[in-house]
């Protein structure tokens, strides 16, 4: 009887997981529809899609900040991860910086963040490398990697103007190309956030540095 209860619980847990994932992958489409049908922003600047991307990036950064706070053995490399996603957030806020200061200003705060994170991680290279290795060995890294590839590679290739001009020919509309590209980017940010959230739930809280030094695998539950 207990065995049957455990199996039933596992099945319902898998079903709940499926429904949650279904909701997550539906988000980009729902947000785009809101932009077009309700807010009438279309593919212009300052869309709900862009705000959602920024919000997801903020949540992603908070995930790794939470891990670093409760797991000192991850802190040095965690700063590097947070710095990377903070640079992405600054890049997403380029329009804000363009209006506030001048066009292209986002490069300066992003460079400062990147340099600071790298310098901090380099203060103890061996420890950073050890934490990096544990991070990429984690079972959720593949999903995080998929999200990053979708964001940095696929969305750029899929959003190429030349591709859409060839597909649509004389019916080419830039808004269609923008929606496809932004929608793919939003899907990538959803994937990255989901993987980061799984990291946050899976990482063991470790405060004893000496314990980490004697057992590198203690950083996370595989």
């Amino acid at each position: 009887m207990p065995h049957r209860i455990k199996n039933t619980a596992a099945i319902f847990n898998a079903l709940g997981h499926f429904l949650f994932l279904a909701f997550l992958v539906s988000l980009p489409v729902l947000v785009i529809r809101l932009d077009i049908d309700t807010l009438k922003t279309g593919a212009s600047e300052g869309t709900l899609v862009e705000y959602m991307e920024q919000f997801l990036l903020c949540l992603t950064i908070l995930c790794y900040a939470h891990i670093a706070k409760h797991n000192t053995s991850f802190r040095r490399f965690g700063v590097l991860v947070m710095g990377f996603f903070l640079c992405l957030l600054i890049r997403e806020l380029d329009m804000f910086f363009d209006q506030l200061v001048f066009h292209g200003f986002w490069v300066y705060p992003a460079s400062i963040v990147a340099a600071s994170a790298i310098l901090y991680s380099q203060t103890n290279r061996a420890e950073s490398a050890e934490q990096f290795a544990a991070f990429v060995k984690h079972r959720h890294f593949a999903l995080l990697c998929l999200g990053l590839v979708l964001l940095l590679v696929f969305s750029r290739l899929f959003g190429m103007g030349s591709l859409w001009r060839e597909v649509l020919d004389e019916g080419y509309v830039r808004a269609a190309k923008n929606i496809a590209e932004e929608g793919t980017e939003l899907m990538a940010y959803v994937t990255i956030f989901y993987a980061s959230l799984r990291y946050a739930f899976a990482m063991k809280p470790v405060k004893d540095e000496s314990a980490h030094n004697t057992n590198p695998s203690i950083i996370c539950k595989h």
Side-chain angles (χ1 to χ4, degrees):
M1 191 66 175
H3 185 64
R4 183 180 298 178
I5 294 174
K6 287 179 67 176
N7 287 341
T8 304
I11 292 170
F12 276 104
N13 184 54
L15 179 60
H17 193 194
F18 172 81
L19 292 174
F20 179 65
L21 286 175
F23 168 73
L24 284 181
V25 299
S26 300
L27 268 179
V29 179
L30 293 173
V31 173
I32 288 172
R33 291 302 297 265
L34 278 173
D35 261 335
I36 296 172
D37 297 338
T38 306
L39 302 178
K40 306 297 183 182
T41 51
S44 60
E45 295 289 345
T47 62
L48 186 59
V49 171
E50 291 183 342
Y51 295 140
M52 182 60 70
E53 290 172 351
Q54 294 160 15
F55 178 65
L56 287 171
L57 268 172
C58 288
L59 291 180
T60 298
I61 293 168
L62 287 176
C63 283
Y64 294 107
H66 173 79
I67 297 170
K69 178 181 178 181
H70 297 284
N71 190 326
T72 55
S73 60
F74 177 75
R75 191 161 295 166
R76 195 172 300 279
F77 180 70
V79 168
L80 197 59
V81 177
M82 286 187 286
F84 172 74
F85 286 115
L86 185 55
C87 285
L88 288 182
L89 177 59
I90 293 171
R91 175 64 182 88
E92 289 294 335
L93 293 169
D94 62 329
M95 186 180 69
F96 169 77
F97 288 115
D98 288 348
Q99 295 175 347
L100 186 67
V101 191
F102 57 82
H103 182 73
F105 178 78
W106 71 270
V107 173
Y108 297 99
S111 299
I112 292 171
V113 169
S116 300
I118 292 171
L119 286 173
Y120 179 72
S121 68
Q122 291 300 298
T123 55
N124 191 328
R125 294 185 181 182
E127 186 179 90
S128 296
E130 189 177 300
Q131 293 170 11
F132 190 9
F135 184 76
V136 298
K137 288 177 184 177
H138 195 278
R139 58 196 173 95
H140 296 311
F141 179 73
L143 185 59
L144 178 64
C145 196
L146 174 63
L148 290 172
V149 169
L150 281 173
L151 176 67
L152 302 175
V153 181
F154 181 76
S155 69
R156 298 295 179 266
L157 295 175
F158 191 59
M160 289 176 64
S162 57
L163 172 65
W164 288 93
R165 286 190 183 90
E166 189 173 339
V167 171
L168 299 175
D169 197 19
E170 293 182 1
Y172 172 77
V173 180
R174 183 177 174 81
K177 190 274 293 187
N178 289 346
I179 288 172
E181 184 177 5
E182 290 294 332
T184 306
E185 280 190 21
L186 184 54
M187 185 68 250
Y189 281 122
V190 167
T191 305
I192 291 169
F193 166 65
Y194 178 68
S196 302
L197 189 64
R198 296 299 298 268
Y199 261 115
F201 278 110
M203 298 288 263
K204 291 180 179 179
V206 178
K207 294 185 178 180
D208 186 1
E209 293 275 353
S210 60
H212 163 63
N213 291 333
T214 57
N215 184 8
S217 65
I218 200 171
I219 290 182
C220 48
K221 294 186 282 188
H222 299 281

